[in-house]
Amino acid sequence: MESQLVHYEIKDKVAIVSLDNPPMNALDVPTKECIRDVFTELDAKRNEIRVVILQGANKAFAAGADIKAFLDLQPDTAKRRLMRSHGMYSVVENCEWPVIAAIHGYCLGGGLELALCCDIRYADETAQFGFPEVGLSIFPGNGGTRRALYATNLGRMKELVYTGEMVKADEALRLGLIEKVVPAGTALEKALELAAKIMKKGPLGVAAAKKVLNRTRDLTLEQGLELESDVWASLAATEDMKEGARAFIEKRKPEYKCK
Ligand code: CO8
């Protein structure tokens, strides 16, 4: 799909999705709708891909929601817009295949919330992270108050949110907001290397792991174990599971067919 605001290419089973709303990839309504449409389209093409990489074109990953649209908001329109945003962010989070965020430049507010919907975040040394919303007398409203807590702890999150301060990539790594810091200009390259490692493994196992890891975090232990065992057991119906075990026993590389 080609749109001016979000575009993608699929190469060797990796879909590289680029936000392209210059100069800072502000997440205005049309951009968010394009993100949702692109991920919906990728879902329809899921047999052609195994990993998605999300990056920002231009000078940033994304500098947050479109502040210029805030002046017209009223409680009812704000609530409607936030609910639609939640839907869009969920489409990214629930993508069947792993989504790796390859981050450079600013990753702020709604941009950081979007990155937190991805499974794994690699950032280059130019990246800067923050929740600057309180500077506008608001606070993170696209799921950040929930999803950041899967990555970092409450006190660190409060420090970030109450001060609105930006932190560099190495500090974001320490806080748990990202998984790796890489040299400037190499976020996509390193994300592709990670994608290549993931794609060597059984794709149905990876997708099942994602589903369970994402869903069990909000469940009780008992509910989580139930879901884990259900999804695990469903893999026993797949040819790939048998192929994995057979290849191990026969000391050869498995040939997975995603069946
Ligand atoms: N929205 C709209 N425009 C933006 C945004 C933004 N978030 N960020 C940057 N821009 C624009 C600037 O207005 C400027 O445009 P112009 O050239 O027309 O004046 C251009 O991008 C370049 O920006 P700067 O000149 O400011 O560039 P600097 O390098 O000096 O600074 C910064 C870059 C640090 C990124 C700075 O622009 C900045 O602080 N931006 C705002 C960051 C921010 O506060 N983000 C959080 C927004 S709120 C949010 O994301 C969550 C809201 C919850 C959902 C709401 C849904 C209804």
Side-chain angles (χ1 to χ4, degrees):
M1 181 195 210
E2 285 302 321
S3 90
Q4 287 180 325
L5 299 169
V6 183
H7 43 86
Y8 73 84
E9 58 170 328
I10 299 176
K11 212 174 156 209
D12 301 328
K13 295 205 179 256
V14 181
I16 302 173
V17 180
S18 303
L19 310 173
D20 195 358
N21 183 20
M24 295 288 173
N25 300 326
L27 297 169
D28 56 16
V29 171
T31 304
K32 287 196 257 194
E33 286 179 348
C34 280
I35 294 171
R36 184 202 54 213
D37 291 349
V38 161
F39 275 80
T40 304
E41 195 169 314
L42 290 176
D43 185 59
K45 293 185 176 178
R46 61 186 171 281
N47 292 336
E48 294 171 40
I49 58 179
R50 294 290 176 268
V51 174
V52 178
I53 294 175
L54 179 60
Q55 65 170 359
N58 313 308
K59 292 196 311 198
F61 180 77
D66 178 19
I67 298 167
K68 291 168 185 165
F70 286 0
L71 287 176
D72 296 333
L73 286 177
Q74 296 298 323
D76 59 337
T77 49
K79 176 73 179 178
R80 271 204 297 278
R81 196 169 292 173
L82 288 165
M83 296 316 286
R84 287 181 69 186
S85 287
H86 290 176
M88 182 280 284
Y89 280 75
S90 293
V91 171
V92 176
E93 185 171 47
N94 294 321
C95 173
E96 181 160 351
W97 303 116
V99 182
I100 305 167
I103 302 168
H104 75 286
Y106 293 110
C107 182
L108 303 174
L112 177 50
E113 291 173 306
L114 179 60
L116 288 165
C117 291
C118 300
D119 294 278
I120 296 166
R121 290 153 288 279
Y122 279 11
D124 84 10
E125 293 157 344
T126 68
Q128 296 200 59
F129 299 83
F131 286 114
E133 285 90 340
V134 290
L136 305 163
S137 200
I138 53 171
F139 66 96
N142 284 319
T145 62
R146 298 287 302 136
R147 290 195 181 93
L149 293 178
Y150 298 131
T152 191
N153 73 30
L154 186 58
R156 286 167 175 174
M157 175 64 179
K158 285 180 171 174
E159 198 178 8
L160 273 180
V161 171
Y162 298 170
T163 65
E165 275 180 7
M166 282 188 239
V167 297
K168 293 191 172 156
D170 52 356
E171 177 65 359
L173 178 70
R174 199 185 65 80
L175 293 173
L177 293 172
I178 61 171
E179 279 60 54
K180 193 172 261 194
V181 183
V182 300
T186 68
L188 178 59
E189 178 192 328
K190 300 295 176 190
L192 283 165
E193 285 173 17
L194 175 63
K197 282 188 200 171
I198 294 170
M199 289 195 300
K200 284 188 186 142
K201 305 302 175 188
L204 297 179
V206 171
K210 169 169 180 168
K211 187 195 253 183
V212 170
L213 288 166
N214 272 6
R215 297 206 185 145
T216 53
R217 61 193 179 185
D218 293 324
L219 301 178
T220 63
L221 177 63
E222 202 177 332
Q223 292 165 330
L225 294 179
E226 183 73 24
L227 177 70
E228 184 191 67
S229 57
D230 284 345
V231 174
W232 202 106
S234 71
L235 291 174
T238 66
E239 288 175 26
D240 279 3
M241 183 201 182
K242 308 292 185 298
E243 167 62 10
R246 212 176 289 119
F248 176 79
I249 294 162
E250 294 169 4
K251 300 189 188 304
R252 62 172 173 79
K253 278 192 182 162
E255 283 180 35
Y256 291 120
K257 296 198 167 72
C258 218
K259 286 184 187 167

